[in-house]
């Protein structure tokens, strides 16, 4: 037995060198790799010292026997501590957070001091038998060292056995559990046998037994990646995530939840593990009752698919919003429960409300800006018919005077009276035409202004649309020397109930004015083509003003930009796009050719 163990010790030394090289060559860089390398180094020192001690005994080198006995304790005292740390690291998945771990090395360090100064105080060995170390008389500190080493090994064994019990049901769990227990239990058992002076166990048996630990830990750490599946780490990760979750088993019992869930919902429900969900929801003001939850969970179980619901709750007088996912917990297609995941969307909801409020404000600002641009044109449009009415009134007054004077003139015939009356009717008709035109302008402007504060869906026709555009843009077109041409390729009398006509007019007016400004004061034509295709009305506003610059095209509908310098707000096209998409559920796009011109397309769905 002694020779066999001696040769096994040599095999162990070679094996440890191989494992050391393999570990060093691994690309993995973590604390566990460093711990394992330390373990191999101390194990190698221990085994090599025992082997060299045997050679010293064989060749009668008595002076070296005590030296190598002391060096064995360099390995022995640290090995047990490193085994404990590795076992705890496997259990907790990390030892980085265990700052107190360094204090475990205090006793091994003291052991080294005591053993190398033993001849002055004899606390470790009172006397040493160089022929058989086990026959040596030990001192008081030897028992401190032994108890501490065995305590480390036993606690480490407890950790790995407990970890192995929690691994049930996981991949390769039985093999991992076996390797964990084997690697820790074998050296512990052999050490106990050596301490009890069993005849078949000598001082070579213990370092050889720890070779089992080397091999099993290497396989567990670097072949089966045991640290990557630790429940403790998964629990820590889940607690760190902002999403809230609870697990309900098939009997509607709460079996688990994470820390964020507890922080929020412990204020709203009677939250405890292993209690019925119905009991948890009683009497705390939770917005969903058990009667409402049961059908959802039952549907999740039946369909074996995720169901999503929205939920709003009041927590500490503040509104919180969640997107709640009910997902079945299935193992081999067997339903074991339901995972209820709460995604906090409070910020997203608040941001959307803020964006909508800002967009509404921007739309109003843009409408006011556009109306301000139209005011001068409208004033000019009103001035012309007012001056015409004034002139017709003076002419009518002259005709009235002429008619009154003719009453005393016998030379004036009936035909003359009829002629005067006809002229008067002509002037009255001219006045009526101009007042009707003024009324149309006022109505168009009034309707646009009213829509600044009220958005309503109404029925309108293409003729209504083009008529209002003409009234609002007539003077602006004249001032910019532009001619507006319509190509209507559909029935312009079809009543369309597609949304707010004033908002649509605002968008088309803004697009036409952009086209006018693109000509930069030069005369030009703007073509408005209106057609119907696949349930949509398509408006195409085309110009030949040279196209949109490339740098502007890239962010045309995405940002509030302008190519008009100080004369532009950057709101028009951005808000126009938002209006078409948001209010009408339509689309807006463009085609622009550099040096030629731009086609701006607007499509809105028809709801006849």
């Amino acid at each position: 037995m002694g020779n066999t163990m001696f040769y096994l010790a040599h095999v162990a030394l070679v094996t440890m060198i191989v494992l050391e090289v393999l570990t060093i060559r691994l690309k993995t860089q973590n604390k566990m790799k460093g711990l394992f390398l330390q373990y191999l180094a101390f194990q190698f020192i221990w085994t090599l010292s025992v082997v060299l001690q045997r050679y010293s005994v064989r060749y009668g080198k008595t002076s070296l026997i005590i030296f190598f006995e002391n060096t064995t304790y360099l390995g022995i005292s640290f090995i047990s501590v490193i085994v404990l740390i590795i076992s705890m690291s496997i259990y907790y998945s990390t030892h980085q957070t265990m700052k107190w771990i360094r204090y475990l090395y205090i006793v091994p360090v003291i052991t080294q001091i005591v053993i190398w100064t033993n001849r002055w105080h004899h606390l470790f060995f009172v006397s040493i038998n160089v022929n058989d170390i086990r026959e040596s008389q030990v001192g008081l500190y030897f028992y401190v060292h032994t108890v501490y080493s065995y305590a480390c090994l036993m606690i480490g064994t407890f950790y790995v056995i407990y970890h192995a019990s929690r691994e049930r049901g996981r991949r390769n769990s039985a093999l991992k559990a076996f390797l964990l227990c084997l690697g820790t239990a074998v050296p512990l058992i052999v050490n106990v046998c050596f301490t009890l002076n069993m005849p078949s166990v000598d001082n070579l048996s213990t370092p050889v037994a720890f070779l089992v630990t080397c091999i099993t830990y290497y396989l567990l750490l670097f072949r089966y990646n045991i640290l990557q599946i630790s429940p403790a780490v998964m629990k820590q990760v889940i607690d760190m995530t902002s999403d809230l979750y609870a697990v309900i088993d098939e009997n509607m019992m709460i079996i688990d939840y994470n820390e964020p869930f507890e922080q929020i919902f412990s204020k709203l429900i009677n939250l405890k593990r292993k209690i019925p969900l119905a009991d948890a929801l009683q009497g705390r003001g939770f917005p969903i009752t058990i009667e409402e939850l049961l059908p959802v969970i039952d549907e999740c179980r039946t369909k074996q698919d995720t169901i999503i619901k929205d939920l709003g709750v009041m927590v500490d007088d503040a509104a919180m919003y969640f997107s709640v996912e009910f997902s079945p917990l299935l193992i081999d297609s067997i339903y074991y429960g339901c995972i209820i995941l709460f995604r906090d969307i409070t910020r997203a909801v608040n941001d959307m409300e803020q964006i909508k409020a800002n967009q509404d404000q921007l739309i109003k600002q843009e409408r006011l800006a556009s109306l301000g641009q139209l005011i001068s044109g409208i004033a000019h449009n009103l001035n012309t018919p007012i001056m015409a009415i004034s002139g017709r009134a003076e002419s009518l007054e002259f005709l009235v005077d002429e008619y009154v004077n003719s009453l005393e003139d016998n030379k004036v015939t009936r035909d003359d009276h009829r002629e005067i009356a006809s002229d008067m009717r002509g002037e009255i008709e001219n006045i009526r035409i101009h007042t009707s035109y003024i009324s149309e302008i006022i109505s168009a402007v009034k309707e646009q202004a009213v829509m600044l504060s009220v958005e309503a869906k109404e029925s309108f026709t293409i003729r209504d649309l083009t008529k209002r555009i003409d009234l609002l843009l007539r003077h602006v077109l004249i001032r910019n020397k532009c001619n507006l041409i319509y190509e209507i390729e559909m029935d312009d009398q079809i009543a369309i109930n597609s949304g707010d006509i004033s908002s649509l007019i605002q968008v088309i007016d803004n697009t036409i004015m952009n086209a006018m400004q693109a000509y930069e004061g030069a005369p030009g034509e703007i073509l408005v083509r209106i057609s119907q295709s696949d349930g949509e009305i398509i408006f195409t506003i085309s110009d030949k003003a040279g196209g949109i610059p490339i740098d502007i095209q890239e962010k045309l509908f995405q940002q509030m930009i302008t190519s008009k310098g100080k004369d532009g707000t950057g709101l028009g096209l951005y808000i126009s796009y938002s209006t078409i998409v948001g209010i009408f559920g339509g689309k807006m796009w463009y085609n622009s050719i550099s040096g030629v011109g731009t086609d701006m397309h607007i499509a809105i769905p028809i709801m006849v």
Side-chain angles (χ1 to χ4, degrees), residues 358-551:
N358 292 341
Q359 188 180 51
D360 290 343
Q361 183 65 29
L362 290 172
I363 290 173
K364 290 180 181 180
Q365 290 176 357
E366 175 61 15
R367 286 176 172 174
L368 286 171
S370 297
L371 282 176
Q373 293 176 345
L374 296 175
I375 291 276
S376 61
I378 292 168
H380 187 275
N381 284 349
L382 291 175
N383 185 61
T384 299
I386 288 172
M387 292 299 294
I389 290 171
S390 177
R392 298 303 178 186
E394 289 181 4
S395 178
L396 186 59
E397 184 179 12
F398 174 78
L399 289 172
V400 170
D401 291 340
E402 182 181 1
Y403 181 77
V404 171
N405 292 332
S406 69
L407 293 175
E408 304 297 330
D409 190 348
N410 294 326
K411 295 180 181 180
V412 178
T413 64
R414 288 178 177 272
D415 290 336
D416 292 333
H417 284 292
R418 291 189 182 94
E419 184 179 350
I420 294 172
S422 176
D423 290 341
M424 292 172 67
R425 286 193 182 94
E427 297 300 337
I428 291 172
E429 183 61 28
N430 283 328
I431 290 173
R432 185 179 292 113
I433 291 171
H434 289 299
T435 54
S436 177
Y437 176 62
I438 291 172
S439 177
E440 288 177 348
I441 292 178
I442 291 173
S443 295
V445 174
K446 180 181 177 181
E447 289 176 2
Q448 288 297 110
V450 167
M451 295 314 297
L452 289 173
S453 57
V454 179
E455 293 184 357
K457 291 188 175 181
E458 57 180 308
S459 178
F460 62 91
T461 66
I462 297 300
R463 180 172 292 181
D464 295 333
L465 192 71
T466 56
K467 185 177 180 180
R468 292 198 196 181
I469 291 171
D470 284 338
L471 286 170
L472 293 170
L473 291 181
R474 182 177 298 173
H475 174 67
V476 181
L477 288 163
I478 294 171
R479 187 179 64 192
N480 286 273
K481 305 173 189 176
C482 289
N483 185 26
L484 187 63
I485 303 171
Y486 289 100
E487 288 185 3
I488 301 176
E489 301 172 356
M490 60 179 290
D491 184 357
D492 65 356
Q493 287 298 306
I494 294 178
I496 300 168
N497 184 22
S498 188
D500 170 16
I501 184 174
S502 295
S503 293
L504 184 58
I505 290 171
Q506 184 71 38
V507 170
I508 296 175
D509 283 358
N510 182 76
T511 307
I512 292 172
M513 284 196 288
N514 284 344
M516 282 190 289
Q517 290 167 346
Y519 282 107
E520 297 181 346
E525 288 186 350
I526 300 171
L527 174 64
V528 179
R529 184 183 297 107
I530 306 173
S531 60
Q532 183 177 344
S533 175
D534 297 329
E536 292 181 329
I537 301 177
I538 300 175
F539 302 88
T540 301
I541 296 94
S542 304
D543 65 68
K544 302 295 181 184
I548 303 171
I550 297 297
D551 59 328

Side-chain angles (χ1 to χ4, degrees), residues 17-305:
I17 293 173
V18 172
L19 290 176
E20 189 91 21
V21 172
L22 290 175
T23 305
I24 291 172
R25 294 181 63 183
L26 286 172
K27 294 182 179 179
T28 304
Q29 297 295 331
N30 53 40
K31 294 290 185 180
M32 184 57 72
K33 179 179 177 181
L35 271 177
F36 190 69
L37 288 173
Q38 291 178 42
Y39 177 89
L40 288 173
F42 284 115
Q43 180 65 34
F44 184 82
I45 292 171
W46 182 7
T47 307
L48 180 63
S49 297
V50 176
V51 170
L52 292 176
Q53 189 182 56
R54 284 294 182 92
Y55 278 113
S56 300
V57 172
R58 178 175 296 181
Y59 294 107
K61 302 294 184 181
T62 306
S63 60
L64 295 177
I65 293 175
I66 297 176
F67 173 80
F68 288 125
E69 177 65 17
N70 291 346
T71 56
T72 60
Y73 283 95
L74 181 61
I76 294 171
S77 57
F78 284 98
I79 280 291
S80 56
V81 173
I82 296 176
V83 168
L84 173 60
I85 295 174
I86 291 177
S87 302
M88 294 174 67
S89 298
I90 291 174
Y91 177 79
Y92 292 112
S93 294
T94 176
H95 63 279
Q96 295 176 346
T97 57
M98 297 185 289
K99 296 180 180 179
W100 52 268
I101 211 79
R102 68 192 70 172
Y103 298 116
L104 292 175
Y105 290 102
I106 292 177
V107 173
V109 170
I110 294 174
T111 297
Q112 297 308 305
I113 296 172
V114 170
I115 200 166
W116 289 100
T117 60
N118 184 72
R119 63 178 179 174
W120 292 302
H121 48 68
H122 301 290
L123 289 174
F124 205 91
F125 287 116
V126 175
S127 63
I128 299 178
N129 186 341
V130 295
N131 296 315
D132 189 350
I133 295 298
R134 287 191 297 181
E135 297 299 326
S136 301
Q137 184 180 356
V138 297
L140 179 63
Y141 186 80
F142 177 86
Y143 296 104
V144 174
H145 157 77
T146 303
V147 170
Y148 183 77
S149 298
Y150 277 116
C152 290
L153 289 174
M154 293 176 68
I155 295 172
T157 303
F158 167 78
Y159 271 112
V160 297
I161 292 175
Y162 187 68
H163 176 79
S165 69
R166 300 198 311 175
E167 288 290 296
R168 288 180 298 176
R170 298 177 181 272
R171 185 181 179 186
N172 296 322
S173 59
L175 176 60
K176 293 174 184 176
F178 172 74
L179 291 174
L180 276 170
C181 297
L182 181 68
T184 311
V186 167
L188 178 62
I189 294 170
V190 172
N191 269 272
V192 170
C193 294
F194 177 76
T195 303
L196 296 175
N197 288 323
M198 295 184 65
S200 59
V201 181
D202 58 15
N203 63 339
L204 274 172
S205 301
T206 50
V208 171
F210 272 99
L211 178 63
V212 177
T213 306
C214 292
I215 297 172
T216 55
Y217 279 15
Y218 178 85
L219 292 173
L220 287 168
L221 296 174
F222 306 116
R223 171 63 179 85
Y224 292 109
N225 298 317
I226 192 170
L227 295 183
Q228 296 182 7
I229 58 174
S230 170
V233 143
M234 293 305 297
K235 178 66 175 173
Q236 184 179 5
V237 170
I238 290 172
D239 283 341
M240 289 174 64
T241 184
S242 59
D243 290 341
L244 295 69
Y245 88 90
V247 181
I248 312 298
D249 69 8
E250 68 272 23
N251 298 316
M252 299 298 290
M253 302 278 289
I254 299 175
I255 60 174
D256 199 12
Y257 46 81
N258 65 346
E259 186 176 338
F261 184 92
E262 183 177 14
Q263 290 174 352
I264 297 296
F265 289 110
S266 61
K267 304 171 184 178
L268 302 177
I269 64 177
N270 181 26
L271 188 60
K272 291 181 181 178
R273 289 179 174 85
K274 298 182 180 179
I275 68 168
L277 181 61
D279 294 347
L281 296 179
Q282 286 182 353
R284 290 289 193 93
F286 193 67
I288 300 180
T289 64
I290 188 65
E291 288 77 14
E292 293 172 311
L293 272 180
L294 283 175
V296 179
I297 296 176
D298 189 57
E299 183 182 358
C300 176
R301 180 211 306 254
T302 305
K303 293 184 176 179
Q304 294 192 354
D305 196 9

Side-chain angles (χ1 to χ4, degrees), residues 320-391:
M320 296 189 70
Y321 303 93
F322 298 93
S323 174
V324 187
E325 294 184 6
F326 297 82
S327 300
L329 183 58
L330 303 172
I331 301 177
D332 296 329
S333 300
I334 299 175
Y335 179 84
Y336 284 92
C338 178
I339 300 174
I340 307 177
L341 180 67
F342 294 77
R343 287 196 168 91
D344 189 350
I345 57 172
T346 305
R347 183 171 181 179
V349 171
N350 292 337
D351 287 347
M352 288 299 296
E353 290 178 353
Q354 185 62 44
I355 289 170
K356 187 178 183 304
N358 292 341
Q359 188 180 51
D360 290 343
Q361 183 65 29
L362 290 172
I363 290 173
K364 290 180 181 180
Q365 290 176 357
E366 175 61 15
R367 286 176 172 174
L368 286 171
S370 297
L371 282 176
Q373 293 176 345
L374 296 175
I375 291 276
S376 61
I378 292 168
H380 187 275
N381 284 349
L382 291 175
N383 185 61
T384 299
I386 288 172
M387 292 299 294
I389 290 171
S390 177

